[in-house]
Amino acid sequence: MTPEELSAAVTAVLAEAVEAGELSVELPETVVVERPKSREHGDWATTVALQLAKQAGMPPRELAELLAARLRERDGIAAVDVAGPGFVNITLDAAAAGELARTIVEAGEAFGQSEALAGRTVNLEYVSANPTGPLHIGHTRWAALGDAVARLLRAAGAELTTEYYINDAGNQMGVFADSVISRMHGEDVPEGGYPGEYVVELAEEVVAARPDVVEMAREQARPIVRELAYEAQLGRIKDTLERFGVHFDVFFSEQSLHSEGKVAAAVDTLRAQGHIEDRDGAVWLRTSDFGDDKDRVLFKADGDATYFAADAAYYLSKRERGFTEKIYLLGADHHGYVARLKAIAACAGDDPEHHIEVLIGQLMSVKGAKLSKRAGNIIELDDLIDWLGADALRYTLARYPADSPIDVDPDLLRSKTNDNPVFYVQYAHARACNAAANAAAAGVDRSGFDAALLTHQTEEELLSQLGRFPSIVASAAELREPHRVARHLESLAAAYHGWYAACRMAPSVGRDGVADPVTDLNRTRLWLNDATAQVLRNGLHLLGVSAPEKM
C-alpha cells in the first residue's frame, strides 16, 4: 500500500462516517499521511482528526477514535492507535506493505509521476546567457537546477515549456561584432570589447564562411559579422548545454520583439490598462503602483526602447502564447528584478502572486577551478564538465536549496567513496543491477511473489523509503526544490545498502557446493531489489543524472 493509497483509504473512511451520520464535515481534497518520528508508533500517521475537530464539533481525540475504529476494518491495515490529543497512528500488515514492490516494478518509469500539477500551463525560463561568450560557472547552477525543476514539473503533470531568452539586441551585440572584426584584422579588441581567445576562433569561422568580409568597410561588414559570429557562438552554447544534459523547447530572440513590433504593441497594451505615463519626453510604466521602488522608463526621450521595455514585451509574449504561469530563474545579482517583473505582471492585469514566480539563486564556487585559457577571465562550464563530469556537477548542484551558496569540493566529487553523495546513490543502483544479475545466474526470477514474506526490519525500512518517493517528487515539483529528491535518494540508498547486507536474494550454497532450492522468499526479494533499482533510476533521471548499471 502506497502513502497515496492509504491517504485515499482515510478519505474514504471519513466519507463513510459522514454518510452514516456520525460526522458532519467537509471532506478534504487529500489527507496527509506522514512517517511518525518513532517507528514504534506505526508505519504512518495522520493529524486529520486535529484538523477537522472544530468543524465536526467534537474533541479531536473522539474524532480520531471514530476514524480508527473504521480504519481497523479495512484490508491491509494491521493496527490503528490513537495517541496524544488526536494523532492516528497506522500500522500496515506485511502483505500490504510489501505489495509496494510489485507496484513499483509494474509501474516502471511512471512510478513517482502524478497529476498533482495537471492543468497548469507553465513557461520556465532559465540560463538565458548573452550569446557573446561561452557559458561559465555563473550559469552552471541554473542550468542544472532549471533542468531538474523542469523534469519535476513534467513528472507532476504540468504542461511545461522551457525557454532560453537570447539577449541578441542592444549595444553588447555591436561591441561583440566589433571585437570579432578587430580579431579578423589581427588587431586588439576595442576598449570594452571581448578579449577572449574564443573571439579569434569566431573570427576564423566568419572568414571561412564569408572570405569577402575581410575586404569590406567595417560598417558594411558589421551586420554580416554580427550575424555569423552570433550564430556560431549560440551554436557553441547549445553544444555545451547538450553536453550538460540540458534541453530547451524554445530559444527566444530578444531582437524579434523589436523587429516584429512586439515592444510597441506591449506599450499599447499597458497604456490601455491605464499604467502608462508620458513625462519629460519619455514613456514611463508606473510600476511603483505595484511595489517597485520607482517607475520604469519604457522609451527614452530620444525614442530608443530600454531593456525594461523588452522585459515587458517578453512577459506579454509569454501570456499571449497561453502560459498562465511564468517562472523565471535568476542569479543573486538579479535580485532587484523581482519587484519590477511582478509589477509588469500587475500592470498587465495579471495576479503577480499567481501568474509570475521569480526564483533567486545564490552563487557557487569550485575550489581550485582555473580560468579558461580560451575565454581568459572566466571559468567555463565546458572545462568544469571535463574536470568533474556532468553527473557529479548536476547532482551536487541539485542537492542544495537554490538560496544557499555552494562551495564545491572537487576532490570529493571525483572520489569513488561513500562520502561522495552522487557516487553513493549511483553505486546503490549499480549494486542492485549486479545483485539482480547474480540472482538470475542462481536461478532466481520474478515468477513468484508473496508480499507477506517481506518481514525483516531492513525490508520494512526499505519499503518505507520506496513508498515516500511519489510524495517527495510531488512536493519537490510544487516547491521547485530538486534537493528534496536528491536527499531522499541518499536515504533510499542507505536503506538499500543496509538491506543488501542483511538479506539474501540468491539461495545459500552449502559446503558441498550444492545450493538450497529457490523459494518464493528469494523471488519476492528480487522484486524488492528491482523496485529499488527502478526508484533510484527514476529519481536520478529527475535530476538529469545517469544511473549506471556497472561502476
Side-chain angles (χ1 to χ4, degrees), residues 51-330:
Q51 297 164 13
L52 297 179
K54 184 176 181 180
Q55 186 185 151
M58 64 174 65
R61 191 173 177 93
E62 182 181 337
L63 176 52
E65 292 286 3
L66 185 155
L67 297 178
R70 286 185 170 274
L71 281 170
R72 293 185 188 107
E73 299 174 1
R74 299 189 76 87
D75 292 340
I77 294 178
V80 184
D81 298 307
V82 175
F87 300 108
V88 179
N89 297 326
I90 304 167
T91 302
L92 303 179
D93 66 36
E99 188 63 34
L100 178 65
R102 179 157 56 186
T103 298
I104 293 170
V105 172
E106 291 177 346
E109 294 179 0
F111 187 75
Q113 297 179 13
S114 71
E115 296 297 310
L117 301 183
R120 309 267 285 269
T121 305
V122 184
N123 179 286
L124 173 64
E125 181 209 334
Y126 60 104
V127 182
S128 298
N130 288 343
T132 54
L135 295 180
H136 55 71
I137 190 172
H139 308 123
T140 301
R141 187 173 191 182
W142 278 130
L145 274 175
D147 187 66
V149 169
R151 292 166 185 255
L152 284 167
L153 290 172
R154 288 192 172 110
E159 183 181 341
L160 177 74
T161 295
T162 55
E163 194 151 305
Y164 184 117
Y165 183 57
I166 311 169
N167 300 110
D168 55 355
N171 184 59
Q172 84 273 6
M173 295 305 298
V175 173
F176 177 57
D178 289 340
S179 300
V180 176
I181 290 172
S182 295
R183 291 306 196 189
M184 281 170 40
H185 293 283
E187 301 169 0
D188 290 338
V189 299
E191 185 177 353
Y194 297 89
E197 191 65 26
Y198 73 94
V199 180
V200 176
E201 297 170 5
L202 290 172
E204 292 172 351
E205 289 185 40
V206 169
V207 172
R210 285 289 301 271
D212 60 319
V213 79
V214 180
E215 307 301 327
M216 294 180 185
R218 296 205 176 198
E219 286 303 316
Q220 181 186 3
R222 185 175 286 111
I224 299 172
V225 172
R226 177 192 181 281
E227 189 62 27
L228 290 174
Y230 156 72
E231 291 291 347
Q233 185 55 47
L234 182 60
R236 292 179 179 185
I237 288 172
K238 291 179 178 180
D239 289 343
T240 300
L241 291 169
E242 184 68 27
R243 289 189 66 203
F244 206 43
V246 175
H247 309 283
F248 286 93
D249 300 314
V250 175
F251 282 84
F252 190 99
S253 165
E254 178 188 354
Q255 183 60 42
S256 70
L257 294 171
H258 298 275
S259 62
E260 297 175 8
K262 298 288 188 181
V263 174
V267 172
D268 291 341
T269 298
L270 295 169
R271 190 181 293 278
Q273 291 283 351
H275 302 293
I276 293 287
E277 183 175 326
D278 299 308
R279 65 174 185 262
D280 303 326
V283 179
W284 297 73
L285 185 65
R286 291 198 305 272
T287 54
S288 61
D289 293 347
F290 297 100
D292 198 2
D293 59 348
K294 61 181 180 181
D295 293 338
R296 303 288 170 177
V297 177
L298 295 169
F299 279 89
K300 296 182 288 187
D302 61 8
D304 287 344
T306 64
Y307 283 115
F308 184 73
D311 290 340
Y314 185 42
Y315 177 85
L316 290 174
S317 166
K318 291 179 179 180
R319 190 174 71 163
E320 290 166 3
R321 286 182 280 145
F323 300 113
T324 54
E325 297 179 48
K326 302 89 171 168
I327 305 176
Y328 293 74
L329 273 60
L330 303 177

Side-chain angles (χ1 to χ4, degrees), residues 237-458:
I237 288 172
K238 291 179 178 180
D239 289 343
T240 300
L241 291 169
E242 184 68 27
R243 289 189 66 203
F244 206 43
V246 175
H247 309 283
F248 286 93
D249 300 314
V250 175
F251 282 84
F252 190 99
S253 165
E254 178 188 354
Q255 183 60 42
S256 70
L257 294 171
H258 298 275
S259 62
E260 297 175 8
K262 298 288 188 181
V263 174
V267 172
D268 291 341
T269 298
L270 295 169
R271 190 181 293 278
Q273 291 283 351
H275 302 293
I276 293 287
E277 183 175 326
D278 299 308
R279 65 174 185 262
D280 303 326
V283 179
W284 297 73
L285 185 65
R286 291 198 305 272
T287 54
S288 61
D289 293 347
F290 297 100
D292 198 2
D293 59 348
K294 61 181 180 181
D295 293 338
R296 303 288 170 177
V297 177
L298 295 169
F299 279 89
K300 296 182 288 187
D302 61 8
D304 287 344
T306 64
Y307 283 115
F308 184 73
D311 290 340
Y314 185 42
Y315 177 85
L316 290 174
S317 166
K318 291 179 179 180
R319 190 174 71 163
E320 290 166 3
R321 286 182 280 145
F323 300 113
T324 54
E325 297 179 48
K326 302 89 171 168
I327 305 176
Y328 293 74
L329 273 60
L330 303 177
D333 57 337
H334 287 74
H335 198 279
Y337 278 66
V338 177
R340 69 188 72 168
L341 285 171
K342 285 185 172 290
I344 289 172
C347 289
D350 286 348
D351 179 356
E353 297 305 314
H354 175 72
H355 294 113
I356 184 169
E357 180 178 354
V358 184
L359 304 179
I360 297 293
Q362 295 299 318
L363 300 176
M364 64 169 287
S365 60
V366 183
K367 297 175 184 176
K370 297 179 180 179
L371 296 178
S372 166
K373 293 180 180 179
R374 293 175 60 255
N377 59 348
I378 63 172
I379 299 169
E380 283 196 60
L381 174 53
D382 274 320
D383 291 341
L384 290 176
I385 294 172
D386 291 339
W387 182 28
L388 302 175
D391 278 352
L393 269 174
R394 290 201 55 159
Y395 187 92
T396 300
L397 295 174
R399 74 185 295 267
Y400 293 96
D403 58 1
S404 63
I406 301 178
D407 187 12
V408 176
D409 182 350
D411 292 334
L412 178 63
L413 262 62
R414 291 162 60 87
S415 69
K416 299 185 183 303
T417 68
N418 288 341
D419 293 330
N420 179 359
V422 65
F423 176 85
Y424 186 67
V425 174
Q426 287 183 319
Y427 179 65
H429 180 265
R431 170 176 264 187
C433 292
N434 183 64
N438 290 339
V444 181
D445 58 24
R446 295 206 303 256
S447 61
F449 181 79
D450 185 352
L453 297 175
L454 299 176
T455 57
H456 193 275
Q457 181 180 351
T458 59

Side-chain angles (χ1 to χ4, degrees), residues 477-490:
E478 181 65 44
L479 299 171
R480 328 302 187 219
E481 293 182 345
H483 69 272
R484 292 171 176 267
V485 174
R487 297 308 176 104
H488 179 67
L489 291 180
E490 290 163 32

